[in-house]
Amino acid sequence: MEIPGYVWLLTIVGILALLAFDFFFHVRKAHEPTLMEAAKWSAIYVGIAVAFGIGVLVFGGQTLGTEYFAGYITEKALSVDNLFVFLIIIASFRVPRADQQKVLLFGIVFALIARTGFIFIGAAAINSFAWLFYLFGGFLIFTAIKLLRPESEGDDADNVIIRLAKRIFNTTERYDGDKFFTIENGKKVLTPMLLVMVAIGGTDLLFALDSVPAIFGLTQNTYIVFTATAFSLMGLRQLFFLIDGLLDRLIFLSYGLAAILAFIGVKLVLHALHENNLPFLNGGQPIPVFEISTELSLIVIIGVLTITVLASLFSPAGKANTVISDSRIQAKKFVEHDLKGDEAERTATYERMVAREKAIQALSDKQRAKAADDEELVALLAQAHELHSQSAK
């Protein structure tokens, strides 16, 4: 279905207006969003995306509507996985909590620009070279296998671009609000704020390599690919603050995403065989194979994500991870905020932390050992107990 030019124009203007609203009303003035603020705006952005999808369903028909929702849900799931890496980068650069919103909004805008570029390049390439479906499908299956490999979550922020910037330019470890440059010892130097945005931008380019082929496996309509991708990125900043500290509870997310990417990869390969024009396969003639419908794709994607989340939260390993994660959250809240202005909340936070510590001791030997090996958790708990002892004197 050909999308009229005025629809494209209105859509792009609407997305730019949402980004401008987000910046001027939420990000421009540095502050740490409350849980209620993050929850409210996350719900609003998801509501806008769903309302847009209903509009596509009504005016574009069932096929386009189903493709949009399948693409949106897939891209949203991949975006949540991307938050893990954002969390590592932001933590490694020790970005002040109040300035994290600006970093995240930059990441979202850069991701939107990068993915839009890849989308139009990919659409043009697919229209000219149908064999690219084989390449995209194989790449997604390879990515799925790679996701299943256990890898240590190290400091992904210290990449080659950052090391090169530190070597060539004068840099400082000190933040000066959200400024990119500051004066130190009479010299103009780069602040970590600029470096962290470079790191976020670099990872966004890598994310686009997985994201764009995945959604092209569900639809080849460029408008649907673009809008599903754009709306999946909208509200990602608020989602970060809403589930910050809860992300590591989704211990099986990588397996769920691997299953989804492998499924879409197989769908692409089957579609490539059905549309085959490679001379060395079946004489360049299409191969009659089963094709996976978009409706089935949507059911599989929703089913896999549902099973992944429920298994993460309610399996023995998931429950143990939840206890350990919540213990870290309470200890960090007590240590970093110190809650001196609210003694009741301070006491409640400390009691919740102690309760989680007791819950950890009730876990299996394997899970207790996992908690004991968590250096950050052990240090936070020790610091929290020390602060509590000092205040009790």
Side-chain angles (χ1 to χ4, degrees), residues 346-360:
R346 176 185 172 85
T347 301
T349 300
Y350 183 77
E351 289 176 351
R352 284 195 295 268
M353 185 195 78
V354 172
R356 300 301 182 273
E357 281 187 282
K358 291 179 180 178
I360 289 174

Side-chain angles (χ1 to χ4, degrees), residues 5 31 59 109 130 151 168 198 237 248 258 262 266 321 325 341 361 382 384:
H31 72 286
F59 295 104
V109 172
E151 295 182 2
I168 296 176
V198 171
R237 176 184 63 79
D248 54 356
V266 170
N321 219 56
S325 175
Q361 295 308 311

Side-chain angles (χ1 to χ4, degrees), residues 42-313:
S42 292
I44 288 173
Y45 278 109
V46 170
I48 292 172
V50 171
F52 181 85
I54 292 172
V56 173
L57 199 63
V58 172
F59 295 104
Q62 182 179 346
T63 300
L64 284 186
T66 306
E67 288 178 353
Y68 168 81
F69 280 111
Y72 172 74
I73 293 170
T74 300
E75 292 297 301
K76 199 69 173 178
L78 290 171
S79 296
V80 171
D81 188 49
N82 297 349
L83 288 180
F84 281 102
V85 182
F86 285 171
L87 187 62
I88 293 170
I89 293 174
I90 287 173
S92 65
F93 276 99
R94 297 181 178 86
V95 180
R97 188 79 172 170
D99 294 319
Q100 289 178 8
Q101 292 200 91
K102 186 164 289 187
V103 172
L104 289 166
L105 184 61
F106 168 82
I108 291 167
V109 172
F110 191 88
L112 185 57
I113 294 171
R115 294 183 193 193
T116 299
F118 278 118
I119 285 168
F120 284 103
I121 292 172
I126 285 173
N127 288 333
S128 301
F129 309 103
W131 54 265
L132 279 175
F133 284 116
Y134 290 109
L135 186 63
F136 279 6
F139 179 75
L140 289 179
I141 294 170
F142 169 77
T143 304
I145 295 171
K146 192 176 177 184
L147 274 174
L148 295 176
R149 295 179 184 172
E151 295 182 2
S152 59
E153 291 187 353
D155 182 0
D156 289 342
D158 193 22
N159 57 38
V160 64
I161 299 175
I162 300 301
R163 291 196 297 272
L164 188 63
K166 288 181 177 179
R167 186 176 301 174
I168 296 176
F169 303 103
N170 292 322
T171 62
T172 179
E173 300 296 323
R174 179 177 62 85
Y175 283 91
D176 186 6
D178 58 3
K179 295 179 181 178
F180 292 159
F181 299 91
T182 190
I183 303 298
E184 192 172 81
N185 299 324
K187 294 182 179 179
K188 192 174 185 179
V189 294
L190 295 177
T191 70
M193 181 61 70
L194 180 59
L195 297 179
V196 71
M197 287 190 174
V198 171
I200 292 286
T203 55
D204 277 334
L205 287 175
L206 296 177
F207 292 153
L209 293 177
D210 294 341
S211 168
V212 174
I215 194 168
F216 268 118
L218 298 168
T219 176
Q220 282 81 62
N221 187 297
T222 309
Y223 180 77
I224 298 299
V225 172
F226 171 74
T227 51
T229 300
F231 282 113
S232 73
L233 292 171
M234 296 289 108
L236 197 61
R237 176 184 63 79
Q238 292 85 351
L239 188 62
F240 176 89
F241 290 98
L242 182 62
I243 62 177
D244 181 18
L246 307 180
L247 284 171
D248 54 356
R249 298 183 186 184
L250 301 177
I251 58 175
F252 298 124
L253 181 62
S254 61
Y255 296 102
L257 291 176
I260 290 172
L261 289 178
F263 172 79
I264 297 174
V266 170
K267 182 178 186 295
L268 272 172
V269 172
L270 289 174
H271 180 72
L273 290 170
H274 190 269
E275 302 291 329
N276 178 62
N277 58 8
L278 294 177
F280 54 84
L281 279 180
N282 198 36
Q285 298 300 310
I287 302 173
V289 293
F290 171 75
E291 279 215 87
I292 301 171
S293 67
T294 307
E295 289 80 8
L296 178 59
S297 299
L298 183 57
I299 293 170
V300 169
I301 291 165
I302 293 175
V304 169
L305 287 176
T306 301
I307 293 170
T308 298
V309 172
L310 292 177
S312 295
L313 296 178

Side-chain angles (χ1 to χ4, degrees), residues 312-360:
S312 295
L313 296 178
F314 297 110
S315 67
K319 289 180 179 179
N321 219 56
T322 297
V323 171
I324 294 171
S325 175
D326 203 37
S327 179
R328 182 185 294 106
I329 291 170
Q330 300 304 326
K332 186 178 289 188
K333 183 178 179 181
F334 188 87
V335 169
E336 293 184 354
H337 295 269
D338 204 18
L339 305 168
K340 291 179 180 177
D342 190 342
E343 285 303 320
E345 179 60 20
R346 176 185 172 85
T347 301
T349 300
Y350 183 77
E351 289 176 351
R352 284 195 295 268
M353 185 195 78
V354 172
R356 300 301 182 273
E357 281 187 282
K358 291 179 180 178
I360 289 174

